[in-house]
PDB file of all heavy atoms in Angstrom:
ATOM      1  N   ASP A 282      35.118  52.960   0.302  1.00  0.00           N
ATOM      2  CA  ASP A 282      36.374  52.411  -0.195  1.00  0.00           C
ATOM      3  C   ASP A 282      37.173  53.554  -0.909  1.00  0.00           C
ATOM      4  O   ASP A 282      36.763  54.043  -1.947  1.00  0.00           O
ATOM      5  CB  ASP A 282      36.156  51.285  -1.159  1.00  0.00           C
ATOM      6  CG  ASP A 282      37.403  50.777  -1.847  1.00  0.00           C
ATOM      7  OD1 ASP A 282      38.475  51.191  -1.442  1.00  0.00           O
ATOM      8  OD2 ASP A 282      37.311  49.986  -2.765  1.00  0.00           O
ATOM      9  N   PRO A 283      38.315  53.957  -0.314  1.00  0.00           N
ATOM     10  CA  PRO A 283      39.032  55.085  -0.896  1.00  0.00           C
ATOM     11  C   PRO A 283      39.488  54.831  -2.363  1.00  0.00           C
ATOM     12  O   PRO A 283      39.516  55.782  -3.129  1.00  0.00           O
ATOM     13  CB  PRO A 283      40.262  55.219   0.012  1.00  0.00           C
ATOM     14  CG  PRO A 283      39.880  54.534   1.287  1.00  0.00           C
ATOM     15  CD  PRO A 283      38.929  53.440   0.898  1.00  0.00           C
ATOM     16  N   ALA A 284      39.781  53.595  -2.682  1.00  0.00           N
ATOM     17  CA  ALA A 284      40.262  53.303  -4.053  1.00  0.00           C
ATOM     18  C   ALA A 284      39.116  53.553  -5.054  1.00  0.00           C
ATOM     19  O   ALA A 284      39.313  54.211  -6.089  1.00  0.00           O
ATOM     20  CB  ALA A 284      40.745  51.865  -4.132  1.00  0.00           C
ATOM     21  N   PHE A 285      37.926  53.043  -4.759  1.00  0.00           N
ATOM     22  CA  PHE A 285      36.797  53.236  -5.648  1.00  0.00           C
ATOM     23  C   PHE A 285      36.452  54.756  -5.716  1.00  0.00           C
ATOM     24  O   PHE A 285      36.232  55.306  -6.804  1.00  0.00           O
ATOM     25  CB  PHE A 285      35.569  52.486  -5.136  1.00  0.00           C
ATOM     26  CG  PHE A 285      34.302  52.823  -5.866  1.00  0.00           C
ATOM     27  CD1 PHE A 285      34.009  52.298  -7.101  1.00  0.00           C
ATOM     28  CD2 PHE A 285      33.385  53.735  -5.291  1.00  0.00           C
ATOM     29  CE1 PHE A 285      32.867  52.655  -7.781  1.00  0.00           C
ATOM     30  CE2 PHE A 285      32.241  54.071  -5.989  1.00  0.00           C
ATOM     31  CZ  PHE A 285      31.978  53.540  -7.223  1.00  0.00           C
ATOM     32  N   ARG A 286      36.481  55.367  -4.584  1.00  0.00           N
ATOM     33  CA  ARG A 286      36.129  56.795  -4.503  1.00  0.00           C
ATOM     34  C   ARG A 286      37.119  57.590  -5.379  1.00  0.00           C
ATOM     35  O   ARG A 286      36.730  58.497  -6.118  1.00  0.00           O
ATOM     36  CB  ARG A 286      36.231  57.267  -3.046  1.00  0.00           C
ATOM     37  CG  ARG A 286      35.315  58.372  -2.706  1.00  0.00           C
ATOM     38  CD  ARG A 286      35.081  58.406  -1.220  1.00  0.00           C
ATOM     39  NE  ARG A 286      36.291  58.760  -0.486  1.00  0.00           N
ATOM     40  CZ  ARG A 286      36.665  58.169   0.662  1.00  0.00           C
ATOM     41  NH1 ARG A 286      35.945  57.170   1.158  1.00  0.00           N
ATOM     42  NH2 ARG A 286      37.761  58.514   1.279  1.00  0.00           N
ATOM     43  N   GLY A 287      38.398  57.239  -5.286  1.00  0.00           N
ATOM     44  CA  GLY A 287      39.408  57.958  -6.084  1.00  0.00           C
ATOM     45  C   GLY A 287      39.128  57.838  -7.555  1.00  0.00           C
ATOM     46  O   GLY A 287      39.267  58.796  -8.294  1.00  0.00           O
ATOM     47  N   GLN A 288      38.717  56.643  -8.009  1.00  0.00           N
ATOM     48  CA  GLN A 288      38.423  56.459  -9.427  1.00  0.00           C
ATOM     49  C   GLN A 288      37.233  57.263  -9.900  1.00  0.00           C
ATOM     50  O   GLN A 288      37.281  57.944 -10.906  1.00  0.00           O
ATOM     51  CB  GLN A 288      38.186  54.980  -9.702  1.00  0.00           C
ATOM     52  CG  GLN A 288      39.460  54.147  -9.743  1.00  0.00           C
ATOM     53  CD  GLN A 288      39.166  52.710 -10.121  1.00  0.00           C
ATOM     54  OE1 GLN A 288      38.126  52.183  -9.795  1.00  0.00           O
ATOM     55  NE2 GLN A 288      40.109  52.107 -10.843  1.00  0.00           N
ATOM     56  N   ILE A 289      36.144  57.170  -9.113  1.00  0.00           N
ATOM     57  CA  ILE A 289      34.956  57.910  -9.499  1.00  0.00           C
ATOM     58  C   ILE A 289      35.222  59.424  -9.475  1.00  0.00           C
ATOM     59  O   ILE A 289      34.806  60.164 -10.392  1.00  0.00           O
ATOM     60  CB  ILE A 289      33.776  57.568  -8.537  1.00  0.00           C
ATOM     61  CG1 ILE A 289      33.335  56.126  -8.769  1.00  0.00           C
ATOM     62  CG2 ILE A 289      32.641  58.534  -8.685  1.00  0.00           C
ATOM     63  CD1 ILE A 289      32.738  55.895 -10.106  1.00  0.00           C
ATOM     64  N   LEU A 290      35.919  59.908  -8.457  1.00  0.00           N
ATOM     65  CA  LEU A 290      36.178  61.320  -8.380  1.00  0.00           C
ATOM     66  C   LEU A 290      37.091  61.797  -9.508  1.00  0.00           C
ATOM     67  O   LEU A 290      36.920  62.919 -10.043  1.00  0.00           O
ATOM     68  CB  LEU A 290      36.790  61.698  -7.035  1.00  0.00           C
ATOM     69  CG  LEU A 290      35.830  61.478  -5.823  1.00  0.00           C
ATOM     70  CD1 LEU A 290      36.490  61.897  -4.562  1.00  0.00           C
ATOM     71  CD2 LEU A 290      34.530  62.233  -6.017  1.00  0.00           C
ATOM     72  N   ALA A 291      38.069  60.943  -9.898  1.00  0.00           N
ATOM     73  CA  ALA A 291      38.936  61.308 -11.005  1.00  0.00           C
ATOM     74  C   ALA A 291      38.138  61.452 -12.302  1.00  0.00           C
ATOM     75  O   ALA A 291      38.332  62.387 -13.094  1.00  0.00           O
ATOM     76  CB  ALA A 291      40.045  60.256 -11.182  1.00  0.00           C
ATOM     77  N   ILE A 292      37.185  60.555 -12.507  1.00  0.00           N
ATOM     78  CA  ILE A 292      36.355  60.616 -13.697  1.00  0.00           C
ATOM     79  C   ILE A 292      35.475  61.857 -13.649  1.00  0.00           C
ATOM     80  O   ILE A 292      35.355  62.628 -14.605  1.00  0.00           O
ATOM     81  CB  ILE A 292      35.470  59.333 -13.827  1.00  0.00           C
ATOM     82  CG1 ILE A 292      36.360  58.151 -14.156  1.00  0.00           C
ATOM     83  CG2 ILE A 292      34.392  59.543 -14.895  1.00  0.00           C
ATOM     84  CD1 ILE A 292      35.635  56.832 -14.058  1.00  0.00           C
ATOM     85  N   MET A 293      34.900  62.133 -12.475  1.00  0.00           N
ATOM     86  CA  MET A 293      33.993  63.286 -12.358  1.00  0.00           C
ATOM     87  C   MET A 293      34.802  64.592 -12.529  1.00  0.00           C
ATOM     88  O   MET A 293      34.330  65.522 -13.199  1.00  0.00           O
ATOM     89  CB  MET A 293      33.326  63.293 -10.969  1.00  0.00           C
ATOM     90  CG  MET A 293      32.306  62.163 -10.823  1.00  0.00           C
ATOM     91  SD  MET A 293      31.445  62.236  -9.273  1.00  0.00           S
ATOM     92  CE  MET A 293      30.436  63.707  -9.507  1.00  0.00           C
ATOM     93  N   ARG A 294      35.959  64.653 -11.939  1.00  0.00           N
ATOM     94  CA  ARG A 294      36.771  65.845 -12.076  1.00  0.00           C
ATOM     95  C   ARG A 294      37.115  66.107 -13.529  1.00  0.00           C
ATOM     96  O   ARG A 294      37.042  67.238 -14.010  1.00  0.00           O
ATOM     97  CB  ARG A 294      38.039  65.683 -11.243  1.00  0.00           C
ATOM     98  CG  ARG A 294      38.977  66.864 -11.413  1.00  0.00           C
ATOM     99  CD  ARG A 294      40.279  66.746 -10.698  1.00  0.00           C
ATOM    100  NE  ARG A 294      41.160  67.825 -11.094  1.00  0.00           N
ATOM    101  CZ  ARG A 294      42.371  67.684 -11.530  1.00  0.00           C
ATOM    102  NH1 ARG A 294      42.900  66.472 -11.671  1.00  0.00           N
ATOM    103  NH2 ARG A 294      43.057  68.713 -11.889  1.00  0.00           N
ATOM    104  N   THR A 295      37.516  65.036 -14.216  1.00  0.00           N
ATOM    105  CA  THR A 295      37.858  65.199 -15.625  1.00  0.00           C
ATOM    106  C   THR A 295      36.629  65.643 -16.437  1.00  0.00           C
ATOM    107  O   THR A 295      36.720  66.530 -17.291  1.00  0.00           O
ATOM    108  CB  THR A 295      38.423  63.891 -16.175  1.00  0.00           C
ATOM    109  OG1 THR A 295      39.454  63.430 -15.290  1.00  0.00           O
ATOM    110  CG2 THR A 295      39.012  64.064 -17.555  1.00  0.00           C
ATOM    111  N   ALA A 296      35.493  65.051 -16.116  1.00  0.00           N
ATOM    112  CA  ALA A 296      34.256  65.369 -16.835  1.00  0.00           C
ATOM    113  C   ALA A 296      33.872  66.837 -16.623  1.00  0.00           C
ATOM    114  O   ALA A 296      33.295  67.468 -17.513  1.00  0.00           O
ATOM    115  CB  ALA A 296      33.102  64.483 -16.367  1.00  0.00           C
ATOM    116  N   MET A 297      34.249  67.386 -15.478  1.00  0.00           N
ATOM    117  CA  MET A 297      33.869  68.799 -15.158  1.00  0.00           C
ATOM    118  C   MET A 297      34.668  69.791 -16.017  1.00  0.00           C
ATOM    119  O   MET A 297      34.270  70.949 -16.076  1.00  0.00           O
ATOM    120  CB  MET A 297      34.151  69.084 -13.722  1.00  0.00           C
ATOM    121  CG  MET A 297      33.021  68.612 -12.834  1.00  0.00           C
ATOM    122  SD  MET A 297      33.288  69.203 -11.151  1.00  0.00           S
ATOM    123  CE  MET A 297      32.068  68.271 -10.324  1.00  0.00           C
ATOM    124  N   THR A 298      35.766  69.395 -16.581  1.00  0.00           N
ATOM    125  CA  THR A 298      36.556  70.349 -17.363  1.00  0.00           C
ATOM    126  C   THR A 298      36.662  69.966 -18.823  1.00  0.00           C
ATOM    127  O   THR A 298      37.083  70.783 -19.624  1.00  0.00           O
ATOM    128  CB  THR A 298      37.989  70.458 -16.788  1.00  0.00           C
ATOM    129  OG1 THR A 298      38.513  69.178 -16.550  1.00  0.00           O
ATOM    130  CG2 THR A 298      37.976  71.242 -15.491  1.00  0.00           C
ATOM    131  N   GLU A 299      36.346  68.706 -19.156  1.00  0.00           N
ATOM    132  CA  GLU A 299      36.519  68.240 -20.499  1.00  0.00           C
ATOM    133  C   GLU A 299      35.168  67.815 -21.087  1.00  0.00           C
ATOM    134  O   GLU A 299      34.668  66.772 -20.763  1.00  0.00           O
ATOM    135  CB  GLU A 299      37.438  66.980 -20.525  1.00  0.00           C
ATOM    136  CG  GLU A 299      38.777  67.191 -19.790  1.00  0.00           C
ATOM    137  CD  GLU A 299      39.779  67.958 -20.608  1.00  0.00           C
ATOM    138  OE1 GLU A 299      39.613  67.985 -21.836  1.00  0.00           O
ATOM    139  OE2 GLU A 299      40.692  68.516 -20.028  1.00  0.00           O
ATOM    140  N   PRO A 300      34.579  68.667 -21.913  1.00  0.00           N
ATOM    141  CA  PRO A 300      33.255  68.360 -22.443  1.00  0.00           C
ATOM    142  C   PRO A 300      33.228  67.010 -23.124  1.00  0.00           C
ATOM    143  O   PRO A 300      32.237  66.282 -23.036  1.00  0.00           O
ATOM    144  CB  PRO A 300      33.018  69.512 -23.436  1.00  0.00           C
ATOM    145  CG  PRO A 300      33.841  70.647 -22.957  1.00  0.00           C
ATOM    146  CD  PRO A 300      35.072  70.007 -22.319  1.00  0.00           C
ATOM    147  N   GLU A 301      34.300  66.647 -23.790  1.00  0.00           N
ATOM    148  CA  GLU A 301      34.346  65.359 -24.482  1.00  0.00           C
ATOM    149  C   GLU A 301      34.205  64.188 -23.508  1.00  0.00           C
ATOM    150  O   GLU A 301      33.535  63.211 -23.749  1.00  0.00           O
ATOM    151  CB  GLU A 301      35.616  65.252 -25.322  1.00  0.00           C
ATOM    152  CG  GLU A 301      35.674  64.043 -26.211  1.00  0.00           C
ATOM    153  CD  GLU A 301      36.898  64.029 -27.106  1.00  0.00           C
ATOM    154  OE1 GLU A 301      37.642  65.045 -27.119  1.00  0.00           O
ATOM    155  OE2 GLU A 301      37.141  63.047 -27.790  1.00  0.00           O
ATOM    156  N   VAL A 302      34.934  64.328 -22.387  1.00  0.00           N
ATOM    157  CA  VAL A 302      34.876  63.291 -21.344  1.00  0.00           C
ATOM    158  C   VAL A 302      33.507  63.265 -20.690  1.00  0.00           C
ATOM    159  O   VAL A 302      32.947  62.195 -20.443  1.00  0.00           O
ATOM    160  CB  VAL A 302      35.986  63.542 -20.324  1.00  0.00           C
ATOM    161  CG1 VAL A 302      35.783  62.640 -19.095  1.00  0.00           C
ATOM    162  CG2 VAL A 302      37.382  63.327 -20.923  1.00  0.00           C
ATOM    163  N   ALA A 303      32.946  64.442 -20.415  1.00  0.00           N
ATOM    164  CA  ALA A 303      31.618  64.523 -19.853  1.00  0.00           C
ATOM    165  C   ALA A 303      30.617  63.787 -20.753  1.00  0.00           C
ATOM    166  O   ALA A 303      29.750  63.053 -20.326  1.00  0.00           O
ATOM    167  CB  ALA A 303      31.202  65.958 -19.646  1.00  0.00           C
ATOM    168  N   HIS A 304      30.789  64.046 -22.076  1.00  0.00           N
ATOM    169  CA  HIS A 304      29.880  63.417 -23.051  1.00  0.00           C
ATOM    170  C   HIS A 304      30.004  61.884 -22.994  1.00  0.00           C
ATOM    171  O   HIS A 304      29.019  61.157 -22.986  1.00  0.00           O
ATOM    172  CB  HIS A 304      30.227  63.929 -24.449  1.00  0.00           C
ATOM    173  CG  HIS A 304      29.310  63.428 -25.520  1.00  0.00           C
ATOM    174  ND1 HIS A 304      28.012  63.878 -25.663  1.00  0.00           N
ATOM    175  CD2 HIS A 304      29.484  62.508 -26.473  1.00  0.00           C
ATOM    176  CE1 HIS A 304      27.443  63.259 -26.695  1.00  0.00           C
ATOM    177  NE2 HIS A 304      28.324  62.416 -27.169  1.00  0.00           N
ATOM    178  N   GLN A 305      31.239  61.416 -22.945  1.00  0.00           N
ATOM    179  CA  GLN A 305      31.476  59.967 -22.878  1.00  0.00           C
ATOM    180  C   GLN A 305      30.978  59.378 -21.602  1.00  0.00           C
ATOM    181  O   GLN A 305      30.374  58.306 -21.586  1.00  0.00           O
ATOM    182  CB  GLN A 305      32.968  59.640 -23.052  1.00  0.00           C
ATOM    183  CG  GLN A 305      33.460  59.843 -24.488  1.00  0.00           C
ATOM    184  CD  GLN A 305      34.852  59.146 -24.651  1.00  0.00           C
ATOM    185  OE1 GLN A 305      35.007  57.994 -24.410  1.00  0.00           O
ATOM    186  NE2 GLN A 305      35.798  59.946 -25.107  1.00  0.00           N
ATOM    187  N   ALA A 306      31.239  60.061 -20.481  1.00  0.00           N
ATOM    188  CA  ALA A 306      30.808  59.540 -19.185  1.00  0.00           C
ATOM    189  C   ALA A 306      29.287  59.550 -19.117  1.00  0.00           C
ATOM    190  O   ALA A 306      28.674  58.580 -18.623  1.00  0.00           O
ATOM    191  CB  ALA A 306      31.412  60.387 -18.047  1.00  0.00           C
ATOM    192  N   GLY A 307      28.666  60.594 -19.602  1.00  0.00           N
ATOM    193  CA  GLY A 307      27.223  60.655 -19.661  1.00  0.00           C
ATOM    194  C   GLY A 307      26.636  59.525 -20.511  1.00  0.00           C
ATOM    195  O   GLY A 307      25.669  58.882 -20.152  1.00  0.00           O
ATOM    196  N   GLY A 308      27.302  59.269 -21.648  1.00  0.00           N
ATOM    197  CA  GLY A 308      26.847  58.167 -22.516  1.00  0.00           C
ATOM    198  C   GLY A 308      26.940  56.839 -21.807  1.00  0.00           C
ATOM    199  O   GLY A 308      26.043  55.989 -21.920  1.00  0.00           O
ATOM    200  N   TYR A 309      28.006  56.653 -21.060  1.00  0.00           N
ATOM    201  CA  TYR A 309      28.173  55.377 -20.378  1.00  0.00           C
ATOM    202  C   TYR A 309      27.094  55.204 -19.305  1.00  0.00           C
ATOM    203  O   TYR A 309      26.495  54.119 -19.186  1.00  0.00           O
ATOM    204  CB  TYR A 309      29.589  55.391 -19.707  1.00  0.00           C
ATOM    205  CG  TYR A 309      29.999  54.029 -19.191  1.00  0.00           C
ATOM    206  CD1 TYR A 309      30.670  53.132 -20.050  1.00  0.00           C
ATOM    207  CD2 TYR A 309      29.710  53.659 -17.901  1.00  0.00           C
ATOM    208  CE1 TYR A 309      31.048  51.888 -19.576  1.00  0.00           C
ATOM    209  CE2 TYR A 309      30.096  52.410 -17.439  1.00  0.00           C
ATOM    210  CZ  TYR A 309      30.760  51.533 -18.279  1.00  0.00           C
ATOM    211  OH  TYR A 309      31.105  50.305 -17.822  1.00  0.00           O
ATOM    212  N   VAL A 310      26.844  56.229 -18.535  1.00  0.00           N
ATOM    213  CA  VAL A 310      25.815  56.156 -17.498  1.00  0.00           C
ATOM    214  C   VAL A 310      24.478  55.864 -18.169  1.00  0.00           C
ATOM    215  O   VAL A 310      23.702  55.005 -17.737  1.00  0.00           O
ATOM    216  CB  VAL A 310      25.738  57.444 -16.705  1.00  0.00           C
ATOM    217  CG1 VAL A 310      24.493  57.494 -15.809  1.00  0.00           C
ATOM    218  CG2 VAL A 310      26.996  57.627 -15.864  1.00  0.00           C
ATOM    219  N   GLN A 311      24.199  56.563 -19.274  1.00  0.00           N
ATOM    220  CA  GLN A 311      22.902  56.426 -19.902  1.00  0.00           C
ATOM    221  C   GLN A 311      22.720  55.046 -20.587  1.00  0.00           C
ATOM    222  O   GLN A 311      21.625  54.540 -20.651  1.00  0.00           O
ATOM    223  CB  GLN A 311      22.687  57.547 -20.938  1.00  0.00           C
ATOM    224  CG  GLN A 311      22.720  58.876 -20.274  1.00  0.00           C
ATOM    225  CD  GLN A 311      22.156  60.012 -21.128  1.00  0.00           C
ATOM    226  OE1 GLN A 311      21.024  60.444 -20.907  1.00  0.00           O
ATOM    227  NE2 GLN A 311      22.907  60.514 -22.051  1.00  0.00           N
ATOM    228  N   GLN A 312      23.832  54.516 -21.100  1.00  0.00           N
ATOM    229  CA  GLN A 312      23.687  53.253 -21.836  1.00  0.00           C
ATOM    230  C   GLN A 312      23.883  52.005 -20.956  1.00  0.00           C
ATOM    231  O   GLN A 312      23.351  50.960 -21.226  1.00  0.00           O
ATOM    232  CB  GLN A 312      24.658  53.225 -23.016  1.00  0.00           C
ATOM    233  CG  GLN A 312      24.188  54.133 -24.149  1.00  0.00           C
ATOM    234  CD  GLN A 312      25.365  54.728 -24.896  1.00  0.00           C
ATOM    235  OE1 GLN A 312      26.394  54.105 -25.075  1.00  0.00           O
ATOM    236  NE2 GLN A 312      25.236  55.982 -25.355  1.00  0.00           N
TER     237      GLN A 312
END
Side-chain angles (χ1 to χ4, degrees):
Chain A
D282 173 10
F285 171 79
R286 210 159 66 221
Q288 284 185 326
I289 290 295
L290 294 182
I292 292 169
M293 291 184 69
R294 176 184 172 232
T295 309
M297 279 188 191
T298 46
E299 308 282 339
E301 188 175 351
V302 169
H304 184 74
Q305 286 195 56
Y309 192 88
V310 169
Q311 298 196 102
Q312 286 149 35

